[in-house]
């Protein structure tokens, strides 16, 4: 019994050590796409949450925080670009767009709206997983470079670490894109 207790405690510690540290929301109306992408991301150690349409994705994001969103552009209900706009208004969560649209103008629009990457269907799930790793690596490095840095100019105060802005001591509400531009 003592050996079993030791084994059970050891297994619990290993499970905690192997627990995913990041949550990825995958929003796509094609079950096969969600399943394959989720499987590759879980193999990389991510916790994956799936949503089958835009409304479900938005509802989940309203109550939870994702470390990254993999988002189909053409969704039933709320479309992917509207979700991207909402994510950008709330912060700087990385977003990778998936789409069957192959025109350059579609890619440019998605990237200009704030997507961190853009993958055209059909795609390799292994490539999507690699792009997730790359975007996560970039987004993890960004705060460390800015943390603790504050820029002050006259009555304007910009805290790069917390991504907040004040003028004359009062907070200024900015979207993530507005902060980036500032």
């Amino acid at each position: 019994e003592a050996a079993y207790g030791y084994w059970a405690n050891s297994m619990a510690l290993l499970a905690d050590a192997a627990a995913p540290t990041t949550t990825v929301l995958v929003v796509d109306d094609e079950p096969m796409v969600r399943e394959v992408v989720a499987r590759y991301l879980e193999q990389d150690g991510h916790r994956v949450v799936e949503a089958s349409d835009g409304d479900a994705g938005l509802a989940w994001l309203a109550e939870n925080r994702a470390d990254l969103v993999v988002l189909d552009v053409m969704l039933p209900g709320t479309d992917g670009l509207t979700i991207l706009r909402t994510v950008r208004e709330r912060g700087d969560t990385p977003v990778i767009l998936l789409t069957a649209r192959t025109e350059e103008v579609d890619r440019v629009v998605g990237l200009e709206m704030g997507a961190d990457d853009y993958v055209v269907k059909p795609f390799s799930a292994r490539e999507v997983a690699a792009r997730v790793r790359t975007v996560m690596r970039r987004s993890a490095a960004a705060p460390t470079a800015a943390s603790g840095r504050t820029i002050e100019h006259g009555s304007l105060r910009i805290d790069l670490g917390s991504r907040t802005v004040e003028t004359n001591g009062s907070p200024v509400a900015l979207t993530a894109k507005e902060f980036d531009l500032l």
Side-chain angles (χ1 to χ4, degrees), residues 90-92 142-151 157-166 171-172 174-176 179-180:
R90 294 180 184 168
D92 58 355
T144 58
S147 61
R149 290 204 41 218
T150 302
I151 300 171
R157 183 174 189 272
I158 305 169
D159 185 327
L160 299 174
S162 65
R163 298 181 57 88
T164 57
V165 177
E166 294 178 1
V172 178
L174 296 176
T175 66
F179 184 89
D180 290 343

Side-chain angles (χ1 to χ4, degrees), residues 73-74 81 97-112 118-122:
V73 173
M74 297 181 290
L81 294 179
L97 293 178
L98 301 178
T99 187
R101 295 180 178 175
T102 59
E103 296 297 316
E104 177 186 18
V105 68
D106 295 319
R107 291 189 305 270
V108 169
V109 166
L111 293 169
E112 291 283 336
Y118 196 100
V119 180
V120 177
K121 294 178 181 180

